[in-house]
Amino acid sequence: MRGNKARRGVAALVAAAAVAGVALQGAGAAVAAGPGARGDAGYGRAVLEQDVAAVRKAGGKVKVLAQVRRGGESVRARAGAGTKVPWNARFRVASTTKTFTAAVVLQLVDEGKLSLDDSVEKWLPGVVSGNGNDGSRITVRDLLRQTSGLFDYVEDPELIRAVTEEFDENRYDATPAREWVRVAMRHEPVFTPRPDAPRWAYSNTNYLLAGMIAEKADGRTWREQVEQRVIAPLGLHETSVTGTDPFLRGPHARVLLPGPDGGTLDVTEHTLQHTADSAVVSTTRDLNAFYRALMSGKLLPEGQLAEMKRTVERTDDPDDVAAWPEGGYGLGVRETPLSCGGSYWHHEGDGFGTYTRTGVTPDGRRSVAVSVTSDGQAPDQVKLNAATRTLVDHALCGRGK
């Protein structure tokens, strides 16, 4: 199942079983720009509208919402048939949650409550063991930068079957992180980590363990720490951690996917994304604020931010390289080059019919957040990624068509 892009979160597993052969549809004319749509000489409303339309065309039957922040200015645009996506729509950010989790762990490191060089075994004795798995050889740093080699629990065949064939029966699942880690331990690791020559493979299991370690080190739940260390200090009033609440509170778009019986499946309400790899709900406004604050040093001191931005090569995951052809992976963030020189930082999120794309310059002055919502069809993610990368590059470089 390593070719399945569900690896970015349990979410797209539903789509994998249902969308083969569905034709892409054009972007149509339903594109609108939001208030405050100013920009610099090379970028503004017209370019963003074109880029959002291109994202919708690449995605097919989807709705798109994008917001660009450049200094004190903001530009927004949206596209999609039927009911428009609310400008302040809430959506599940899926694996973009990983940046939030990494920020929490790095704050704990700065406070001396744990070390990036601590082993998983030190904090979670016996949890990572069996079938060649050895928590004494995996560090906290390995978890955050995806160099542990641990099997990705969302690729477990039984889990895949449950969400592709029996979604309605399992949509309110609240399996705790520790149990999903046990599922991962039924499988051999992809590789054994080597500190002198890091190997890399994306695994959501890493962030379940990172959240569990954060709880042991701090005494508060992972959810409480995200709320109290990130959301509240930054005033992210439209951001929350779902826990086992299945509902999207506030304005949002319905999320529709093809069902296994050939009909349409509404997957808007569910609890499947409730752990430290996927549980954050946010808006384009708040994601921009989060990444800008992160890169400008408002969440982490200089040393820990430097640790976050120290990347490794992605060596053992061809699916990931196909999805993101350039750049390395740091601690909960990716680095991708810009056409105008330099690079930007981001983390994608692929959920059950929801796809989040972000980007921020190293100084935090320019950022962009994009939300794509399935409206009856799951997108080809390679095409979607290419279109969203173009949008991000235009937004951060300040130029476009």
Side-chain angles (χ1 to χ4, degrees):
M1 196 67 184
R2 296 194 66 80
N4 191 322
K5 291 304 177 285
R7 301 180 62 252
R8 302 300 156 247
V10 183
L13 290 166
V14 173
V19 301
V22 178
L24 293 177
Q25 298 183 7
V31 180
R38 296 188 295 158
D40 61 24
Y43 191 87
R45 174 184 298 179
V47 177
L48 183 60
E49 286 181 340
Q50 292 171 1
D51 286 342
V52 164
V55 170
R56 187 183 176 223
K57 183 176 181 179
K61 199 173 182 180
V62 297
K63 296 180 186 292
V64 184
L65 174 65
Q67 183 172 10
V68 179
R69 288 294 308 276
R70 302 166 63 78
E73 298 177 346
S74 176
V75 188
R76 299 191 295 188
R78 59 188 176 185
T83 304
K84 293 180 179 179
V85 182
W87 288 118
N88 58 340
R90 275 66 166 174
F91 50 88
R92 302 178 197 277
V93 309
S95 282
T96 304
T97 298
K98 291 178 172 64
T99 311
F100 287 75
T101 299
V104 165
V105 172
L106 286 167
Q107 286 186 3
L108 293 172
V109 171
D110 181 61
E111 294 165 9
K113 293 182 177 179
L114 60 81
S115 167
L116 289 173
D117 295 320
D118 286 346
S119 70
V120 173
E121 181 68 15
K122 173 182 176 178
W123 289 100
L124 304 172
V127 171
V128 174
S129 61
N131 293 311
N133 296 291
D134 184 353
S136 69
R137 302 185 67 173
I138 299 170
T139 66
V140 174
R141 180 182 283 103
D142 286 322
L143 299 179
L144 297 184
R145 71 180 182 182
Q146 309 281 14
T147 55
S148 73
L150 293 174
F151 179 84
D152 191 344
Y153 78 97
V154 305
E155 292 187 7
D156 180 75
E158 286 300 309
L159 176 56
I160 292 170
R161 183 193 62 77
V163 296
T164 56
E165 300 177 15
E166 301 172 347
F167 180 85
D168 274 331
E169 291 88 338
N170 292 288
R171 71 163 67 226
Y172 301 119
D173 180 273
T175 300
R178 183 176 291 266
E179 294 303 315
W180 288 131
V181 171
R182 287 177 179 169
V183 169
M185 294 304 104
R186 298 173 190 164
H187 303 268
E188 295 181 356
V190 179
F191 54 77
T192 300
R194 293 176 52 188
D196 57 329
R199 298 172 64 183
W200 190 96
Y202 192 101
S203 175
N204 290 281
T205 307
N206 290 325
Y207 277 76
L208 301 186
L209 291 163
M212 292 165 63
I213 289 172
E215 292 182 350
K216 289 287 291 289
D218 186 77
R220 290 175 289 179
T221 67
W222 167 80
R223 176 181 182 175
E224 289 173 325
Q225 291 185 67
V226 172
E227 291 171 342
Q228 296 168 20
R229 291 177 174 275
V230 179
I231 295 174
L234 296 183
L236 305 180
H237 302 299
E238 299 166 342
T239 299
S240 61
V241 181
T242 60
T244 55
D245 181 354
F247 301 106
L248 288 175
R249 306 293 178 177
H252 61 275
R254 305 302 298 178
V255 188
L256 306 175
L257 284 169
D261 60 356
T264 299
L265 182 65
D266 189 326
V267 299
T268 311
E269 280 89 39
H270 66 81
T271 59
L272 290 163
Q273 293 168 249
H274 62 271
T275 44
D277 58 335
S278 60
V280 169
V281 168
S282 194
T283 62
T284 56
R285 172 195 172 278
D286 274 8
L287 285 181
N288 276 315
F290 168 66
Y291 278 101
R292 285 158 62 94
L294 180 65
M295 288 299 143
S296 61
K298 294 180 181 177
L299 279 177
L300 297 174
E302 183 177 351
Q304 301 311 326
L305 184 57
E307 286 282 0
M308 174 176 268
K309 295 165 74 172
R310 186 170 292 119
T311 64
V312 293
E313 181 183 357
R314 294 170 295 140
T315 61
D316 289 69
D317 198 331
D319 291 340
D320 192 89
V321 174
W324 302 99
E326 296 182 281
Y329 197 96
L331 304 186
V333 289
R334 294 183 188 271
E335 183 181 26
T336 296
L338 286 166
S339 65
C340 53
S343 59
Y344 69 95
W345 298 94
H346 63 108
H347 204 295
E348 79 289 351
D350 296 332
F352 284 93
T354 60
Y355 311 89
T356 303
R357 300 293 182 265
T358 59
V360 63
T361 54
D363 60 5
R365 289 186 55 79
R366 298 182 177 191
S367 67
V368 57
V370 184
S371 172
V372 179
T373 303
S374 293
D375 196 23
Q377 173 188 333
D380 178 324
Q381 290 188 45
V382 173
K383 293 180 180 179
L384 180 69
N385 286 347
T388 53
R389 274 196 297 272
T390 297
L391 186 157
V392 171
D393 190 81
H394 287 169
L396 300 184
C397 284
R399 63 191 187 201
K401 294 176 263 187

